[in-house]
Amino acid sequence: MPDDTSAAVVNEFEAESWPLEAAADSLHQVIDGFQNGDTRPLVIGDGDQPVLVVLAIADLADFRARIAELLANPVDAGWLRYYLRSNFDMSSERLVELLGVDTDHGLSSLASQVNVEQAATLMPDHLRRTEAGGNPLMLIGDGTMATAALLSFQAFQVLLALDGGGKGEDDSCAHDDEEKPTTPLEVLAERIGPVSTQLVAQINAGREPGLPRYELHFEDDLVEHLRDLETRAQKAPGGGAYDELNELLHQFDQMRSGLVEAEAVEPDEAPYLEATDLKAALPDIRDAFREGADDPYLVGLDGRPLAGLISYDLYEELQKVSVELDGTDEAPVLPLPQPRWENGPRLLPFDIALEMCEAVIEDITNGEASMLFIADEENDPELVLAPLVWLWAYVDHLDLESAEA
């Protein structure tokens, strides 16, 4: 979530937004400033709130590039969807529209260009269009290359938040007594739950005498991740969530002891496999799931994740969510295998599924709705290989506590 600094910056722009008429009269001066290196945006309001922003074209290009980079990776795209929905009640598709990002063919202007005089004349129409829910995007420049862009303040707020508190910008765990509140590791563990408390007690029992115990600062999103791991570890002791929770708590112990520098701690990413390696690795992956691991595997080509390999139990929960939502723009209602669905995909024996994994990934690469349901020895569904974008579309709606109950 954007931090207080980002909120303060937004409030500052709200306080300094210009009336429409004054902004139109000053547009030439603002554009000249952009050309001379002054990149301060011009925020335009309707008398009650900011509605439009005139932004230097270089800043818009940078913003577009950052969003396009996030959308190009299914994992980052899922994070972006969650971030936008949680903080701005906005879909990633709406942000793409507001910025003019062409995700199929890279970056494109996707907006007409007008000169400065025309832009000043058109501003009232664009303000009304924005307040009616439309997209005001317009490129501005007197030459062949645009100098500035007019876009909605709604999109501009996302830029401010990403700069101030979004992905890659915050410190999840830091030892900073002057600026941020700190917490003893033991207190943190008690707040998280009994598994964490027991693990920290074991850590303390094995500590070398005389080591310091600095307090650490824990960001809210990191604490929420630890609570998620705690819930899953209680349901599956010794599973993947338990191991990750144990590893993180040991890292925190190293930091509070001064043995390693306190730095950003982010949740581990799901393991990645090339499609060509999946056949050889699948027997071990199946064994890991049977032993209690519950983290998904990402599968793709040339380092680009395209599919997710998950347990059927988790897939069933995602499928229920997809039915409740009746599908999304990114994904259909998830199918169930035959005979649970009369026309669903066939449930395949493990040996046959081994031979088909790479072909399924290639189908997904080509945009086909291909997936695998893999059976155990009793011919019950055990694993699912499905397009990653389908799984990401529903994972943010999943109630983890009920899913693992």
Side-chain angles (χ1 to χ4, degrees):
M1 179 176 291
D3 58 18
D4 293 339
T5 301
S6 298
V9 172
V10 172
N11 290 335
E12 176 185 347
F13 279 114
E14 290 177 349
E16 296 182 357
S17 60
W18 287 45
L20 179 62
E21 184 176 349
D25 292 341
S26 303
L27 188 58
H28 267 289
Q29 182 180 350
V30 173
I31 299 299
D32 290 342
F34 290 162
Q35 293 174 327
N36 294 324
D38 184 356
T39 59
R40 288 175 295 178
L42 172 65
V43 180
I44 306 164
D46 62 0
D48 296 321
Q49 60 185 357
V51 179
L52 300 172
V53 179
V54 178
L55 195 67
I57 195 66
D59 291 336
L60 175 63
D62 178 67
F63 191 13
R64 282 174 163 178
R66 292 165 64 186
I67 297 302
E69 183 179 359
L70 290 173
L71 293 174
N73 184 309
V75 177
D76 289 338
W79 172 87
L80 181 63
R81 283 195 297 272
Y82 173 79
Y83 183 73
L84 292 174
R85 187 173 63 248
S86 300
N87 295 288
F88 302 99
D89 193 24
M90 181 194 300
S91 68
S92 57
E93 291 78 14
R94 176 59 175 168
L95 181 61
V96 164
E97 177 190 356
L98 293 175
L99 295 179
V101 177
D102 184 349
T103 55
D104 293 325
H105 305 95
L107 294 178
S108 169
S109 67
L110 296 184
S112 58
Q113 179 175 329
V114 299
N115 62 37
V116 179
E117 183 177 346
Q118 291 169 330
T121 302
L122 290 170
M123 269 189 185
D125 291 336
H126 281 257
L127 187 142
R128 286 192 293 270
R129 178 188 302 175
T130 305
E131 292 182 324
N135 183 9
L137 183 62
M138 176 172 61
L139 303 186
I140 307 170
D142 286 331
T144 57
M145 299 293 291
T147 306
L150 180 75
L151 70 156
S152 76
F153 189 79
Q154 184 184 25
F156 183 63
Q157 286 186 92
V158 178
L159 170 60
L160 293 177
L162 289 177
D163 280 342
K167 191 174 179 62
E169 296 291 338
D170 59 15
D171 289 334
S172 296
C173 178
H175 180 204
D176 191 344
D177 295 326
E178 295 182 359
E179 298 182 3
K180 298 179 179 180
T182 56
T183 305
L185 186 57
E186 293 80 5
V187 174
L188 172 74
E190 291 175 1
R191 293 174 180 171
I192 299 301
V195 175
S196 299
T197 301
Q198 182 181 37
L199 288 172
V200 170
Q202 294 171 0
I203 290 171
N204 287 339
R207 281 172 57 88
E208 295 181 15
L211 286 177
R213 297 191 185 191
Y214 297 117
E215 295 182 3
L216 300 171
H217 172 73
F218 301 92
E219 291 287 349
D220 291 342
D221 57 350
L222 179 57
V223 173
E224 287 304 311
H225 180 64
L226 293 172
R227 285 176 174 150
D228 171 40
L229 293 176
E230 169 79 27
T231 300
R232 292 156 58 193
Q234 291 179 27
K235 301 298 183 183
Y242 179 91
D243 292 341
E244 183 179 348
L245 181 62
N246 187 31
E247 181 180 350
L248 285 173
L249 292 173
H250 274 84
Q251 288 182 36
F252 300 153
D253 178 58
Q254 295 285 302
M255 292 177 188
R256 69 167 177 170
S257 302
L259 300 178
V260 296
E261 182 179 355
E263 57 185 18
V265 176
E266 298 181 358
D268 290 341
E269 291 187 0
Y272 172 81
L273 281 172
E274 282 290 311
T276 51
D277 299 328
L278 182 56
K279 178 180 177 180
L282 195 55
D284 291 336
I285 294 174
R286 180 180 65 173
D287 290 342
F289 276 115
R290 290 179 174 181
E291 291 170 2
D294 54 4
D295 292 328
Y297 282 77
L298 306 182
V299 186
L301 294 172
D302 300 323
R304 184 163 64 100
L306 297 166
L309 180 67
I310 62 176
S311 69
Y312 183 75
D313 289 341
L314 176 57
Y315 179 84
E316 267 194 319
E317 297 302 325
L318 294 173
Q319 198 275 337
K320 292 176 185 176
V321 172
S322 76
V323 172
E324 293 172 359
L325 296 177
D326 195 24
T328 71
D329 292 339
E330 299 91 1
V333 173
L334 298 178
L336 293 175
Q338 300 178 17
R340 290 166 173 81
W341 273 25
E342 182 178 353
N343 298 318
R346 288 194 305 126
L347 182 62
L348 298 179
F350 186 77
D351 291 342
I352 296 177
L354 281 177
E355 304 300 327
M356 296 185 63
C357 287
E358 189 172 350
V360 168
I361 300 299
E362 290 178 358
D363 288 344
I364 294 173
T365 304
N366 295 327
E368 299 180 28
S370 187
M371 61 188 306
L372 274 181
F373 287 96
I374 305 173
D376 61 14
E377 293 83 355
E378 304 298 326
N379 203 37
D380 291 322
E382 183 175 25
L383 300 174
V384 181
L385 181 67
L388 190 59
V389 67
W390 288 8
L391 305 180
W392 265 120
Y394 301 114
V395 71
D396 292 335
H397 302 274
L398 189 62
D399 184 343
L400 290 173
E401 293 189 6
S402 64
E404 295 171 0

